[in-house]
Amino acid sequence: MSTRTAEPTGPGSAGTGSPWRNWAGNVTSRPVREVSPASAEELAAELRRATRDGLRVKTVGTGHSFTSIAATDGVLIRPDLLTGIRRIDREAMTVTVESGTPLKRLNVALAREGLSLTNMGDIMEQTVAGATSTGTHGTGRDSASIAAQIRALELVTADGTVMTCSEKENPEVFAAARIGLGALGVVSAITFAVEPVFLLTAREEPMRFDRVIAEFDQLHAENEHFEFYWFPHTDNCNTKRNNRSAGPAAPLPRLGGWFEDEFLSNGVFQAACSIGRAVPPAIPAIARISSRALSARTYTDIPYKVFTSPRRVRFLEMEYALPREAATAALRELKAMVEGSPLKVSFPVEVRTAPADDIALSTASGRETAYIAVHLYRGTPHRGYFTAVERIMTAHGGRPHWGKVHTRDAAYLAGAYPRFAEFTALRDRLDPDRLFANDYLRRVLGD
């Protein structure tokens, strides 16, 4: 076996290994040992070993979840050796990739082969399994989350069984495991639908809040991918429309793209957030300046260069999925709440959409969806803002993103998801002894 293992020795070592922290730094855990299996078979052996040792197991990707979904005091599986493309099937138009492959590597490799995913989120640092298991999504009128593009997956269950799941093979597991929260087993490989690489034209422009709200349904209907950012303490938004293009390609100029995406959106914004954290009364003035800093621009490029952007400023995030028809009312309430409170919010509010899908615990399961995401700079007290936002979102039937800060529990979520009992029954079948349990899963799924 080529599995890498790191663990403390001697008695009384439970929970005393090297600490693990997520990207935002708000979650820390101390596993007994870390392992890096290099195949599904080695992964299965590690699960059987953990069972013999009486230890719980969690798999971690790049730590981009803001919840403790990957935290464990037992065995932490790192998928560092489970990377790369297994095969490309040009007849079926699919790619099968090892679960620990970062989305960035997948996107670059697919582009080299003249292929692309149909839709993706706005960052690509996550592993493919970490992104899909938590329901990572972009924005789209007709094209859904990354998990909705899965055509098959390989799942290693608690007893060490390596199971292939698709619409034809173990379909009841496939219906749930595409967004499995790490509760059903460890995903070792994923097969995605792909298509020939195409061009997207991005049109970014400032727009007033009231206009965006008034035209939201029209902007959604007229564009394949529409999203916008509202800057709290202002009436300013930045909108982005991505639509397929016949070309020619017209990428952002290297210097101009660096100036806006790196210097302004990361470097200057980092400095502004640091000032705002130190001097909160300055935040509204900073927001007015920031919201006017980005100018209108149009460019055409291959999908991952349009959908994704670098995100180097670290933050905490809460995101709720609402019925799409509830989005504008919720946004007006959110704006009124911020304006009527002493809160000082330095990060813009992000709004995206998704079509309904058929995955049991997808935030878009069974309904047209709008996503409203709120952020705060890392180290800024967040409880007051996030609590007020959550109150608005839950009043509109919101479903929290599984990888982002929220306080909902199984009682609430059972009412928010019509297929919740289907998922928990499958969990009882695949992991009756709760090998993959942790505090987060106990809260959101029950025990």
Side-chain angles (χ1 to χ4, degrees), residues 5-41:
T5 302
E7 61 181 309
T9 57
S13 61
T16 59
S18 299
W20 169 83
R21 290 182 179 83
N22 66 342
W23 177 82
N26 66 308
V27 177
T28 303
S29 69
R30 196 177 287 273
V32 168
R33 64 173 176 259
E34 295 183 10
V35 297
S36 297
S39 68
E41 292 71 28

PDB file of all heavy atoms in Angstrom, residues 5-41:
ATOM      1  N   THR A   5       0.364   7.941   6.175  1.00  0.00           N
ATOM      2  CA  THR A   5      -0.304   8.038   7.469  1.00  0.00           C
ATOM      3  C   THR A   5       0.523   8.899   8.397  1.00  0.00           C
ATOM      4  O   THR A   5       1.744   8.767   8.464  1.00  0.00           O
ATOM      5  CB  THR A   5      -0.477   6.645   8.110  1.00  0.00           C
ATOM      6  OG1 THR A   5      -1.223   5.816   7.216  1.00  0.00           O
ATOM      7  CG2 THR A   5      -1.219   6.747   9.431  1.00  0.00           C
ATOM      8  N   ALA A   6      -0.186   9.774   9.126  1.00  0.00           N
ATOM      9  CA  ALA A   6       0.471  10.558  10.174  1.00  0.00           C
ATOM     10  C   ALA A   6      -0.392  10.458  11.411  1.00  0.00           C
ATOM     11  O   ALA A   6      -1.575  10.768  11.370  1.00  0.00           O
ATOM     12  CB  ALA A   6       0.607  12.012   9.745  1.00  0.00           C
ATOM     13  N   GLU A   7       0.174   9.991  12.513  1.00  0.00           N
ATOM     14  CA  GLU A   7      -0.623   9.849  13.728  1.00  0.00           C
ATOM     15  C   GLU A   7       0.294   9.890  14.949  1.00  0.00           C
ATOM     16  O   GLU A   7       1.474   9.567  14.888  1.00  0.00           O
ATOM     17  CB  GLU A   7      -1.414   8.544  13.705  1.00  0.00           C
ATOM     18  CG  GLU A   7      -0.559   7.297  13.632  1.00  0.00           C
ATOM     19  CD  GLU A   7      -1.411   6.045  13.581  1.00  0.00           C
ATOM     20  OE1 GLU A   7      -2.294   5.906  14.438  1.00  0.00           O
ATOM     21  OE2 GLU A   7      -1.204   5.223  12.692  1.00  0.00           O
ATOM     22  N   PRO A   8      -0.283  10.314  16.101  1.00  0.00           N
ATOM     23  CA  PRO A   8       0.490  10.267  17.334  1.00  0.00           C
ATOM     24  C   PRO A   8       0.585   8.840  17.838  1.00  0.00           C
ATOM     25  O   PRO A   8      -0.170   7.977  17.417  1.00  0.00           O
ATOM     26  CB  PRO A   8      -0.353  11.132  18.288  1.00  0.00           C
ATOM     27  CG  PRO A   8      -1.749  10.983  17.776  1.00  0.00           C
ATOM     28  CD  PRO A   8      -1.620  10.845  16.282  1.00  0.00           C
ATOM     29  N   THR A   9       1.492   8.573  18.710  1.00  0.00           N
ATOM     30  CA  THR A   9       1.650   7.228  19.273  1.00  0.00           C
ATOM     31  C   THR A   9       1.460   7.290  20.776  1.00  0.00           C
ATOM     32  O   THR A   9       1.562   8.337  21.392  1.00  0.00           O
ATOM     33  CB  THR A   9       3.039   6.658  18.956  1.00  0.00           C
ATOM     34  OG1 THR A   9       4.026   7.562  19.461  1.00  0.00           O
ATOM     35  CG2 THR A   9       3.230   6.507  17.461  1.00  0.00           C
ATOM     36  N   GLY A  10       1.205   6.120  21.349  1.00  0.00           N
ATOM     37  CA  GLY A  10       1.079   6.059  22.800  1.00  0.00           C
ATOM     38  C   GLY A  10      -0.359   6.180  23.255  1.00  0.00           C
ATOM     39  O   GLY A  10      -1.248   6.536  22.505  1.00  0.00           O
ATOM     40  N   PRO A  11      -0.602   5.879  24.516  1.00  0.00           N
ATOM     41  CA  PRO A  11      -1.959   5.912  25.046  1.00  0.00           C
ATOM     42  C   PRO A  11      -2.477   7.340  25.165  1.00  0.00           C
ATOM     43  O   PRO A  11      -1.710   8.295  25.224  1.00  0.00           O
ATOM     44  CB  PRO A  11      -1.810   5.258  26.426  1.00  0.00           C
ATOM     45  CG  PRO A  11      -0.389   5.511  26.804  1.00  0.00           C
ATOM     46  CD  PRO A  11       0.390   5.455  25.531  1.00  0.00           C
ATOM     47  N   GLY A  12      -3.788   7.434  25.186  1.00  0.00           N
ATOM     48  CA  GLY A  12      -4.413   8.733  25.416  1.00  0.00           C
ATOM     49  C   GLY A  12      -4.213   9.703  24.284  1.00  0.00           C
ATOM     50  O   GLY A  12      -4.182  10.905  24.513  1.00  0.00           O
ATOM     51  N   SER A  13      -4.057   9.197  23.058  1.00  0.00           N
ATOM     52  CA  SER A  13      -3.750  10.106  21.955  1.00  0.00           C
ATOM     53  C   SER A  13      -4.966  10.613  21.206  1.00  0.00           C
ATOM     54  O   SER A  13      -4.840  11.371  20.276  1.00  0.00           O
ATOM     55  CB  SER A  13      -2.819   9.396  20.960  1.00  0.00           C
ATOM     56  OG  SER A  13      -3.438   8.247  20.425  1.00  0.00           O
ATOM     57  N   ALA A  14      -6.176  10.183  21.586  1.00  0.00           N
ATOM     58  CA  ALA A  14      -7.370  10.585  20.836  1.00  0.00           C
ATOM     59  C   ALA A  14      -7.475  12.102  20.772  1.00  0.00           C
ATOM     60  O   ALA A  14      -7.424  12.792  21.780  1.00  0.00           O
ATOM     61  CB  ALA A  14      -8.625  10.009  21.496  1.00  0.00           C
ATOM     62  N   GLY A  15      -7.627  12.599  19.553  1.00  0.00           N
ATOM     63  CA  GLY A  15      -7.803  14.027  19.366  1.00  0.00           C
ATOM     64  C   GLY A  15      -6.574  14.855  19.650  1.00  0.00           C
ATOM     65  O   GLY A  15      -6.672  16.038  19.924  1.00  0.00           O
ATOM     66  N   THR A  16      -5.387  14.271  19.610  1.00  0.00           N
ATOM     67  CA  THR A  16      -4.177  15.028  19.959  1.00  0.00           C
ATOM     68  C   THR A  16      -3.207  15.125  18.791  1.00  0.00           C
ATOM     69  O   THR A  16      -2.050  15.467  18.972  1.00  0.00           O
ATOM     70  CB  THR A  16      -3.470  14.375  21.161  1.00  0.00           C
ATOM     71  OG1 THR A  16      -3.128  13.029  20.823  1.00  0.00           O
ATOM     72  CG2 THR A  16      -4.363  14.383  22.382  1.00  0.00           C
ATOM     73  N   GLY A  17      -3.654  14.812  17.564  1.00  0.00           N
ATOM     74  CA  GLY A  17      -2.788  14.932  16.403  1.00  0.00           C
ATOM     75  C   GLY A  17      -2.618  16.380  15.996  1.00  0.00           C
ATOM     76  O   GLY A  17      -3.016  17.308  16.697  1.00  0.00           O
ATOM     77  N   SER A  18      -2.021  16.593  14.832  1.00  0.00           N
ATOM     78  CA  SER A  18      -1.815  17.952  14.335  1.00  0.00           C
ATOM     79  C   SER A  18      -3.164  18.594  14.046  1.00  0.00           C
ATOM     80  O   SER A  18      -4.052  17.960  13.479  1.00  0.00           O
ATOM     81  CB  SER A  18      -0.970  17.914  13.056  1.00  0.00           C
ATOM     82  OG  SER A  18       0.286  17.344  13.319  1.00  0.00           O
ATOM     83  N   PRO A  19      -3.338  19.857  14.405  1.00  0.00           N
ATOM     84  CA  PRO A  19      -4.629  20.499  14.182  1.00  0.00           C
ATOM     85  C   PRO A  19      -4.879  20.743  12.694  1.00  0.00           C
ATOM     86  O   PRO A  19      -3.947  20.969  11.920  1.00  0.00           O
ATOM     87  CB  PRO A  19      -4.508  21.818  14.943  1.00  0.00           C
ATOM     88  CG  PRO A  19      -3.041  22.084  15.037  1.00  0.00           C
ATOM     89  CD  PRO A  19      -2.386  20.742  15.094  1.00  0.00           C
ATOM     90  N   TRP A  20      -6.141  20.665  12.320  1.00  0.00           N
ATOM     91  CA  TRP A  20      -6.568  21.010  10.968  1.00  0.00           C
ATOM     92  C   TRP A  20      -7.431  22.263  11.049  1.00  0.00           C
ATOM     93  O   TRP A  20      -8.261  22.400  11.959  1.00  0.00           O
ATOM     94  CB  TRP A  20      -7.376  19.866  10.360  1.00  0.00           C
ATOM     95  CG  TRP A  20      -8.060  20.279   9.073  1.00  0.00           C
ATOM     96  CD1 TRP A  20      -7.514  20.303   7.830  1.00  0.00           C
ATOM     97  CD2 TRP A  20      -9.404  20.755   8.943  1.00  0.00           C
ATOM     98  NE1 TRP A  20      -8.444  20.773   6.916  1.00  0.00           N
ATOM     99  CE2 TRP A  20      -9.613  21.053   7.572  1.00  0.00           C
ATOM    100  CE3 TRP A  20     -10.463  20.960   9.839  1.00  0.00           C
ATOM    101  CZ2 TRP A  20     -10.824  21.545   7.079  1.00  0.00           C
ATOM    102  CZ3 TRP A  20     -11.664  21.452   9.359  1.00  0.00           C
ATOM    103  CH2 TRP A  20     -11.839  21.734   8.002  1.00  0.00           C
ATOM    104  N   ARG A  21      -7.232  23.197  10.128  1.00  0.00           N
ATOM    105  CA  ARG A  21      -8.040  24.422  10.081  1.00  0.00           C
ATOM    106  C   ARG A  21      -8.611  24.588   8.691  1.00  0.00           C
ATOM    107  O   ARG A  21      -7.959  24.245   7.706  1.00  0.00           O
ATOM    108  CB  ARG A  21      -7.199  25.654  10.429  1.00  0.00           C
ATOM    109  CG  ARG A  21      -6.786  25.737  11.882  1.00  0.00           C
ATOM    110  CD  ARG A  21      -5.996  27.007  12.175  1.00  0.00           C
ATOM    111  NE  ARG A  21      -5.632  27.071  13.587  1.00  0.00           N
ATOM    112  CZ  ARG A  21      -4.579  26.466  14.114  1.00  0.00           C
ATOM    113  NH1 ARG A  21      -3.777  25.749  13.335  1.00  0.00           N
ATOM    114  NH2 ARG A  21      -4.318  26.557  15.403  1.00  0.00           N
ATOM    115  N   ASN A  22      -9.810  25.150   8.634  1.00  0.00           N
ATOM    116  CA  ASN A  22     -10.393  25.428   7.328  1.00  0.00           C
ATOM    117  C   ASN A  22      -9.827  26.726   6.754  1.00  0.00           C
ATOM    118  O   ASN A  22      -9.068  27.451   7.411  1.00  0.00           O
ATOM    119  CB  ASN A  22     -11.924  25.478   7.407  1.00  0.00           C
ATOM    120  CG  ASN A  22     -12.441  26.647   8.235  1.00  0.00           C
ATOM    121  OD1 ASN A  22     -11.707  27.245   9.026  1.00  0.00           O
ATOM    122  ND2 ASN A  22     -13.712  26.968   8.075  1.00  0.00           N
ATOM    123  N   TRP A  23     -10.184  27.025   5.516  1.00  0.00           N
ATOM    124  CA  TRP A  23      -9.634  28.183   4.790  1.00  0.00           C
ATOM    125  C   TRP A  23      -9.888  29.489   5.531  1.00  0.00           C
ATOM    126  O   TRP A  23      -9.024  30.363   5.606  1.00  0.00           O
ATOM    127  CB  TRP A  23     -10.264  28.225   3.397  1.00  0.00           C
ATOM    128  CG  TRP A  23      -9.871  29.380   2.539  1.00  0.00           C
ATOM    129  CD1 TRP A  23      -8.734  29.502   1.789  1.00  0.00           C
ATOM    130  CD2 TRP A  23     -10.625  30.587   2.308  1.00  0.00           C
ATOM    131  NE1 TRP A  23      -8.732  30.711   1.109  1.00  0.00           N
ATOM    132  CE2 TRP A  23      -9.881  31.376   1.414  1.00  0.00           C
ATOM    133  CE3 TRP A  23     -11.853  31.046   2.767  1.00  0.00           C
ATOM    134  CZ2 TRP A  23     -10.327  32.622   0.968  1.00  0.00           C
ATOM    135  CZ3 TRP A  23     -12.308  32.290   2.336  1.00  0.00           C
ATOM    136  CH2 TRP A  23     -11.542  33.057   1.447  1.00  0.00           C
ATOM    137  N   ALA A  24     -11.081  29.642   6.094  1.00  0.00           N
ATOM    138  CA  ALA A  24     -11.428  30.893   6.769  1.00  0.00           C
ATOM    139  C   ALA A  24     -10.838  30.991   8.164  1.00  0.00           C
ATOM    140  O   ALA A  24     -10.797  32.079   8.741  1.00  0.00           O
ATOM    141  CB  ALA A  24     -12.952  31.034   6.849  1.00  0.00           C
ATOM    142  N   GLY A  25     -10.391  29.860   8.709  1.00  0.00           N
ATOM    143  CA  GLY A  25      -9.789  29.871  10.038  1.00  0.00           C
ATOM    144  C   GLY A  25     -10.779  29.836  11.184  1.00  0.00           C
ATOM    145  O   GLY A  25     -10.387  29.945  12.348  1.00  0.00           O
ATOM    146  N   ASN A  26     -12.086  29.652  10.888  1.00  0.00           N
ATOM    147  CA  ASN A  26     -13.088  29.645  11.960  1.00  0.00           C
ATOM    148  C   ASN A  26     -13.403  28.252  12.490  1.00  0.00           C
ATOM    149  O   ASN A  26     -14.142  28.113  13.455  1.00  0.00           O
ATOM    150  CB  ASN A  26     -14.388  30.305  11.473  1.00  0.00           C
ATOM    151  CG  ASN A  26     -15.081  29.508  10.379  1.00  0.00           C
ATOM    152  OD1 ASN A  26     -14.450  29.150   9.377  1.00  0.00           O
ATOM    153  ND2 ASN A  26     -16.362  29.234  10.537  1.00  0.00           N
ATOM    154  N   VAL A  27     -12.834  27.207  11.852  1.00  0.00           N
ATOM    155  CA  VAL A  27     -13.051  25.829  12.299  1.00  0.00           C
ATOM    156  C   VAL A  27     -11.697  25.148  12.479  1.00  0.00           C
ATOM    157  O   VAL A  27     -10.847  25.197  11.591  1.00  0.00           O
ATOM    158  CB  VAL A  27     -13.895  25.029  11.288  1.00  0.00           C
ATOM    159  CG1 VAL A  27     -14.029  23.574  11.746  1.00  0.00           C
ATOM    160  CG2 VAL A  27     -15.267  25.657  11.115  1.00  0.00           C
ATOM    161  N   THR A  28     -11.519  24.526  13.624  1.00  0.00           N
ATOM    162  CA  THR A  28     -10.295  23.781  13.914  1.00  0.00           C
ATOM    163  C   THR A  28     -10.679  22.426  14.485  1.00  0.00           C
ATOM    164  O   THR A  28     -11.622  22.326  15.277  1.00  0.00           O
ATOM    165  CB  THR A  28      -9.422  24.517  14.942  1.00  0.00           C
ATOM    166  OG1 THR A  28      -9.124  25.833  14.464  1.00  0.00           O
ATOM    167  CG2 THR A  28      -8.104  23.782  15.175  1.00  0.00           C
ATOM    168  N   SER A  29      -9.977  21.395  14.087  1.00  0.00           N
ATOM    169  CA  SER A  29     -10.159  20.090  14.731  1.00  0.00           C
ATOM    170  C   SER A  29      -8.812  19.411  14.865  1.00  0.00           C
ATOM    171  O   SER A  29      -7.839  19.789  14.202  1.00  0.00           O
ATOM    172  CB  SER A  29     -11.131  19.207  13.932  1.00  0.00           C
ATOM    173  OG  SER A  29     -10.565  18.816  12.706  1.00  0.00           O
ATOM    174  N   ARG A  30      -8.766  18.401  15.719  1.00  0.00           N
ATOM    175  CA  ARG A  30      -7.497  17.728  15.994  1.00  0.00           C
ATOM    176  C   ARG A  30      -7.714  16.211  15.857  1.00  0.00           C
ATOM    177  O   ARG A  30      -8.064  15.537  16.810  1.00  0.00           O
ATOM    178  CB  ARG A  30      -6.990  18.085  17.389  1.00  0.00           C
ATOM    179  CG  ARG A  30      -5.532  17.760  17.637  1.00  0.00           C
ATOM    180  CD  ARG A  30      -5.108  18.219  19.013  1.00  0.00           C
ATOM    181  NE  ARG A  30      -4.971  19.653  19.112  1.00  0.00           N
ATOM    182  CZ  ARG A  30      -3.860  20.320  18.812  1.00  0.00           C
ATOM    183  NH1 ARG A  30      -2.800  19.659  18.378  1.00  0.00           N
ATOM    184  NH2 ARG A  30      -3.803  21.624  18.941  1.00  0.00           N
ATOM    185  N   PRO A  31      -7.534  15.669  14.660  1.00  0.00           N
ATOM    186  CA  PRO A  31      -7.749  14.236  14.460  1.00  0.00           C
ATOM    187  C   PRO A  31      -6.673  13.399  15.134  1.00  0.00           C
ATOM    188  O   PRO A  31      -5.567  13.871  15.382  1.00  0.00           O
ATOM    189  CB  PRO A  31      -7.684  14.084  12.940  1.00  0.00           C
ATOM    190  CG  PRO A  31      -6.827  15.235  12.484  1.00  0.00           C
ATOM    191  CD  PRO A  31      -7.120  16.363  13.426  1.00  0.00           C
ATOM    192  N   VAL A  32      -7.021  12.145  15.390  1.00  0.00           N
ATOM    193  CA  VAL A  32      -6.040  11.203  15.926  1.00  0.00           C
ATOM    194  C   VAL A  32      -4.971  10.915  14.876  1.00  0.00           C
ATOM    195  O   VAL A  32      -3.783  10.849  15.182  1.00  0.00           O
ATOM    196  CB  VAL A  32      -6.733   9.894  16.354  1.00  0.00           C
ATOM    197  CG1 VAL A  32      -5.716   8.796  16.627  1.00  0.00           C
ATOM    198  CG2 VAL A  32      -7.586  10.136  17.589  1.00  0.00           C
ATOM    199  N   ARG A  33      -5.410  10.728  13.643  1.00  0.00           N
ATOM    200  CA  ARG A  33      -4.440  10.505  12.574  1.00  0.00           C
ATOM    201  C   ARG A  33      -4.991  11.015  11.249  1.00  0.00           C
ATOM    202  O   ARG A  33      -6.202  11.175  11.068  1.00  0.00           O
ATOM    203  CB  ARG A  33      -4.069   9.020  12.452  1.00  0.00           C
ATOM    204  CG  ARG A  33      -5.197   8.083  12.063  1.00  0.00           C
ATOM    205  CD  ARG A  33      -4.666   6.656  11.811  1.00  0.00           C
ATOM    206  NE  ARG A  33      -5.738   5.708  11.529  1.00  0.00           N
ATOM    207  CZ  ARG A  33      -6.229   4.841  12.415  1.00  0.00           C
ATOM    208  NH1 ARG A  33      -5.718   4.797  13.633  1.00  0.00           N
ATOM    209  NH2 ARG A  33      -7.201   4.009  12.074  1.00  0.00           N
ATOM    210  N   GLU A  34      -4.042  11.287  10.346  1.00  0.00           N
ATOM    211  CA  GLU A  34      -4.377  11.683   8.990  1.00  0.00           C
ATOM    212  C   GLU A  34      -3.845  10.623   8.040  1.00  0.00           C
ATOM    213  O   GLU A  34      -2.732  10.124   8.224  1.00  0.00           O
ATOM    214  CB  GLU A  34      -3.751  13.035   8.634  1.00  0.00           C
ATOM    215  CG  GLU A  34      -4.272  14.201   9.452  1.00  0.00           C
ATOM    216  CD  GLU A  34      -3.673  15.519   8.999  1.00  0.00           C
ATOM    217  OE1 GLU A  34      -2.999  15.538   7.935  1.00  0.00           O
ATOM    218  OE2 GLU A  34      -3.872  16.534   9.698  1.00  0.00           O
ATOM    219  N   VAL A  35      -4.634  10.295   7.022  1.00  0.00           N
ATOM    220  CA  VAL A  35      -4.203   9.312   6.039  1.00  0.00           C
ATOM    221  C   VAL A  35      -4.459   9.861   4.642  1.00  0.00           C
ATOM    222  O   VAL A  35      -5.364  10.664   4.434  1.00  0.00           O
ATOM    223  CB  VAL A  35      -4.916   7.955   6.217  1.00  0.00           C
ATOM    224  CG1 VAL A  35      -4.573   7.341   7.565  1.00  0.00           C
ATOM    225  CG2 VAL A  35      -6.425   8.090   6.060  1.00  0.00           C
ATOM    226  N   SER A  36      -3.656   9.419   3.677  1.00  0.00           N
ATOM    227  CA  SER A  36      -3.797   9.841   2.289  1.00  0.00           C
ATOM    228  C   SER A  36      -3.787   8.610   1.389  1.00  0.00           C
ATOM    229  O   SER A  36      -2.754   8.262   0.790  1.00  0.00           O
ATOM    230  CB  SER A  36      -2.650  10.790   1.895  1.00  0.00           C
ATOM    231  OG  SER A  36      -2.694  11.974   2.654  1.00  0.00           O
ATOM    232  N   PRO A  37      -4.901   7.907   1.279  1.00  0.00           N
ATOM    233  CA  PRO A  37      -4.953   6.730   0.417  1.00  0.00           C
ATOM    234  C   PRO A  37      -4.800   7.111  -1.052  1.00  0.00           C
ATOM    235  O   PRO A  37      -5.180   8.208  -1.459  1.00  0.00           O
ATOM    236  CB  PRO A  37      -6.331   6.142   0.701  1.00  0.00           C
ATOM    237  CG  PRO A  37      -7.135   7.284   1.218  1.00  0.00           C
ATOM    238  CD  PRO A  37      -6.187   8.178   1.941  1.00  0.00           C
ATOM    239  N   ALA A  38      -4.258   6.169  -1.832  1.00  0.00           N
ATOM    240  CA  ALA A  38      -3.973   6.446  -3.243  1.00  0.00           C
ATOM    241  C   ALA A  38      -4.928   5.726  -4.186  1.00  0.00           C
ATOM    242  O   ALA A  38      -4.778   5.820  -5.398  1.00  0.00           O
ATOM    243  CB  ALA A  38      -2.529   6.054  -3.570  1.00  0.00           C
ATOM    244  N   SER A  39      -5.923   5.006  -3.647  1.00  0.00           N
ATOM    245  CA  SER A  39      -6.877   4.290  -4.486  1.00  0.00           C
ATOM    246  C   SER A  39      -8.131   4.019  -3.682  1.00  0.00           C
ATOM    247  O   SER A  39      -8.131   4.140  -2.438  1.00  0.00           O
ATOM    248  CB  SER A  39      -6.277   2.970  -4.975  1.00  0.00           C
ATOM    249  OG  SER A  39      -6.110   2.079  -3.879  1.00  0.00           O
ATOM    250  N   ALA A  40      -9.186   3.623  -4.369  1.00  0.00           N
ATOM    251  CA  ALA A  40     -10.427   3.268  -3.676  1.00  0.00           C
ATOM    252  C   ALA A  40     -10.199   2.083  -2.749  1.00  0.00           C
ATOM    253  O   ALA A  40     -10.781   2.016  -1.649  1.00  0.00           O
ATOM    254  CB  ALA A  40     -11.517   2.957  -4.692  1.00  0.00           C
ATOM    255  N   GLU A  41      -9.355   1.155  -3.152  1.00  0.00           N
ATOM    256  CA  GLU A  41      -9.079  -0.030  -2.331  1.00  0.00           C
ATOM    257  C   GLU A  41      -8.341   0.367  -1.049  1.00  0.00           C
ATOM    258  O   GLU A  41      -8.661  -0.135   0.041  1.00  0.00           O
ATOM    259  CB  GLU A  41      -8.265  -1.046  -3.134  1.00  0.00           C
ATOM    260  CG  GLU A  41      -9.018  -1.695  -4.290  1.00  0.00           C
ATOM    261  CD  GLU A  41      -9.288  -0.747  -5.449  1.00  0.00           C
ATOM    262  OE1 GLU A  41      -8.489   0.211  -5.650  1.00  0.00           O
ATOM    263  OE2 GLU A  41     -10.309  -0.950  -6.146  1.00  0.00           O
TER     264      GLU A  41
END
